[in-house]
Amino acid sequence: MVILCLYFNKITTITKNSGKFRMSEGSKKTTDNAHAAKTADRPWLFRTYAGHSNAKASNELYKTNLKKGQTGLSVAFDLPTQTGYDSDHILAQGEVGKVGVPISHLGDMETLFHEIPLDQMNTSMTINATAPWLLALYIACAEKQGLDRSKLSGTTQNDLIKEYLSRGTYIFPPQQSMRLITDVISFTYNQVPKWNPMNVCSYHLQEAGATPVQELAYALATAISVLDAVKDSGQVPDHDFSKVVGRISFFVNAGVRFVTELCKMRAFTRLWDEICQERYGVTEEEYRRFRYGVQVNSLGLTEQQPENNVYRILIEMLAVVLSKDARARAVQLPAWNEAMGLPRPWDQQWSLRLQQIVAFETDLLEYGDIFNGSTEIENKVQALMKEAKEELARIEEMGGAIAAVESSYMKGKLVESAAQRFRDIESGDLTVIGVNKHTETEPSPLTTGEDNGFLKTDDAAEVQQIKKLKLWRQNRNAHDVEHALSQLKTAAMTNDNIMESSIACAHAGVTTGEWAQTLREIFGEFRAPTGVGQSSLNEGDQDHLVKIRAELDELTTKIGRRPKILVGKPGLDGHSNGAEQIAVRAKEAGYEVVYEGIRLTPSQIVNAALEEGVHIIGLSILSGSHVPLVKEIILKMKTAGISDIPVVVGGIIPKDDAEHLLELGVAAVYTPKDFDLGSILSDITNILSAPYKTAAE
């Protein structure tokens, strides 16, 4: 994935100097038109969203990109780091280095930024539950470089509310998470003034099913709840509160419905300006500016005819760059093949070139907003604003975003919207080229070759990371670690700001898992509502499920009770949208459904299968850890004497891995090309019925 950051004040480039990297002023884009050259907006700064395997490999990737002209860093962390576990924790099995870089301690952070001066970087860190800790490690790393923390610039995503609703990398209960968000914001505005302490992220809300109105309302409700909490904490004096408002940024999603998405961003800009003025009394225009980055929609990428994804990505990008008054400052593009597996460097380069062509070859930046004065655009913007305000009012009446999370209101609405999207694709009401229309195709030369068109991570990276982690624990000063963790515990229990004690922990050699476990013992852990029980059938669903229900009735007679399916999310992958929709549809079809949410160990899944007496297990894994996790579950099922229960698996699973899973004994494998949930359920029902049909024959 690739990020371009748009700034209006200057261009910078990276030059190499004696093995180090330094920032230097770049020249303005030149055009044939002298007047245009004087008035054109500055083009984008370039950076890539990257991190994999281990800190050393990621550091080499960063430095290579910087030498090529990249001017900022965006760090992807692996799931154990995101959820507060060390690499050797049982839940980290198979997840280390898969979707990002593992950072277990200060040594890892120093390796990650070796020979990269942090006072000359703008570093974005996609981190939420452990945001205070990763920021503490980053600050400690800078201080080890001899740098003043006030010189650092960058962003921590730090949006836990959307984690409860969509992505699932939360740890603590909502109120305690809000306290940590507040601490980071209150600390950075004073100590690290150029840092964006929170990136309100509606991107994953759309991935979980949010409509444009829900994306607007839920993101703004999150920002309001956070700012209210900061104000109530008393950590920021009233005369400085406008500065805090001005440091809040957003990260949104852009789908393929071009006009609607463009109008959504114009609505976002106006609504945020109104909230800043009317709710918080911000008079300075610079502090009311809606500063946002965007990743265009990954949900809409298809495994079928994946070359079509390039066109989708371009259309989605245009929705957030064409309107100058609502233009993104950062645009992050997925690669064309992300529905198949991890993109290779060439695939990322292709996405980067797409943005460079728009920025440097077109005349886009030479004009004002080309949509001002359009009646159609204005009407759509007003309609979105009206509906979003109505939804915001409903959330406000509940007590704000936290209350709407705890009551499962927002989660239930997202599951309901996602279910409708699946139904529309299945019925053909929502056209997806290559999936439910114009499915005929020639073989793609892009997906041939020995790598099958995507990158496969090194399985040895996890073993190496664990070995280094154990060595780190052996070589540190145990007394310093104990003292630092005691300070952290005291701060957490006395409501002192958590950041200074976290930075002290970083310097002492505390690990990610130790920091998180200390807070777990004080704050507790949280399991967010699944929202699955709130879905409702419509008439079309009733007709579609008649055949499956008839088969289930027949099967019920044969086995003596309703068939029961366990839908499981093993490991740390929190992207639960697919699992939720299978659970919803199975329940609608007449199955008894056991779904306990995300983040389960293989042992917990096998124990649940035993205790619940299930007839089939469905596993959903999107992090790339499907082979080791499924292997472990099947092994434990044999030990428990339930190896006769069929197992089916869904996720982003390459063909070779799918064949390996089938060899392990998995009954069926489903990938993004299997979009028809009715067909999947019918297939599962046939798997259950097969033994009885064979006996009858």
Side-chain angles (χ1 to χ4, degrees), residues 189-202:
Y189 107 89
N190 186 24
Q191 293 288 313
V192 198
K194 294 191 290 183
W195 197 266
N196 298 317
M198 186 185 190
N199 198 222
V200 181
C201 180
S202 67

Side-chain angles (χ1 to χ4, degrees), residues 419-484:
Q420 188 59 53
R421 181 180 183 275
F422 274 89
R423 290 167 184 142
D424 289 344
I425 293 175
E426 289 171 1
S427 67
D429 290 341
L430 178 61
T431 297
V432 184
I433 302 300
V435 174
N436 61 6
K437 191 171 185 179
H438 302 305
T439 55
E440 64 282 352
T441 183
E442 296 293 330
S444 171
L446 293 174
T447 59
T448 58
E450 60 183 34
D451 62 5
N452 295 315
F454 57 87
L455 178 68
K456 186 172 177 61
T457 57
D458 182 7
D459 292 334
E462 181 169 331
V463 175
Q464 295 168 358
Q465 174 66 15
I466 292 173
K467 182 178 180 180
K468 291 177 182 177
L469 172 61
K470 291 179 177 178
L471 187 62
W472 173 268
R473 291 196 190 109
Q474 291 173 7
N475 292 336
R476 66 188 180 175
N477 186 305
H479 178 267
D480 290 347
V481 170
E482 184 179 347
H483 179 67

Side-chain angles (χ1 to χ4, degrees), residues 115-137:
E115 294 186 336
I116 300 175
L118 297 185
D119 60 337
Q120 298 175 33
M121 284 292 116
N122 186 299
T123 304
S124 173
M125 296 194 287
T126 303
I127 197 70
N128 294 282
T130 53
W133 175 240
L134 270 299
L135 177 57
L137 287 173

Side-chain angles (χ1 to χ4, degrees), residues 218-261:
Y218 295 177
L220 293 172
T222 295
I224 288 169
S225 292
V226 167
L227 287 173
D228 285 355
V230 173
K231 202 171 188 64
D232 293 343
S233 75
Q235 295 189 63
V236 178
D238 290 343
H239 66 267
D240 274 348
F241 196 73
S242 290
K243 294 179 182 178
V244 169
V245 175
R247 296 315 304 176
I248 300 296
S249 58
F250 290 77
F251 190 71
V252 306
N253 203 326
V256 77
R257 290 175 58 79
F258 169 78
V259 175
T260 298
E261 294 294 329

Side-chain angles (χ1 to χ4, degrees), residues 255-366:
V256 77
R257 290 175 58 79
F258 169 78
V259 175
T260 298
E261 294 294 329
L262 184 146
C263 293
K264 179 188 75 179
M265 298 320 307
R266 291 170 72 92
F268 248 136
T269 300
R270 294 188 199 176
L271 288 167
W272 182 241
D273 187 76
E274 287 182 14
I275 290 168
C276 291
Q277 288 191 74
E278 297 172 8
R279 190 178 185 100
Y280 300 113
V282 179
T283 58
E284 304 92 334
E285 185 179 354
E286 63 177 306
Y287 294 148
R288 300 197 310 266
R289 189 176 301 135
F290 186 75
R291 300 180 304 120
Y292 79 97
V294 62
Q295 174 165 313
V296 308
N297 196 308
S298 294
L299 177 66
L301 301 184
T302 64
E303 183 181 5
Q304 305 94 315
Q305 300 179 26
E307 61 277 4
N308 294 341
N309 293 329
V310 175
Y311 307 128
R312 295 184 178 105
I313 291 166
L314 172 59
I315 291 168
E316 291 166 350
M317 184 186 83
L318 292 178
V320 295
V321 299
L322 287 185
S323 177
K324 179 181 178 181
D325 291 351
R327 182 173 291 150
R329 295 188 174 214
V331 179
Q332 180 172 305
L333 300 185
W336 67 280
N337 55 351
E338 286 192 24
M340 301 163 51
L342 290 175
R344 302 157 300 187
W346 183 88
D347 307 313
Q348 293 185 336
Q349 176 183 293
W350 198 4
S351 290
L352 176 62
R353 294 296 180 255
L354 170 59
Q355 300 194 58
Q356 289 171 326
I357 289 168
V358 172
F360 295 119
E361 293 192 22
T362 77
D363 57 356
L364 170 66
L365 300 179
E366 297 169 14

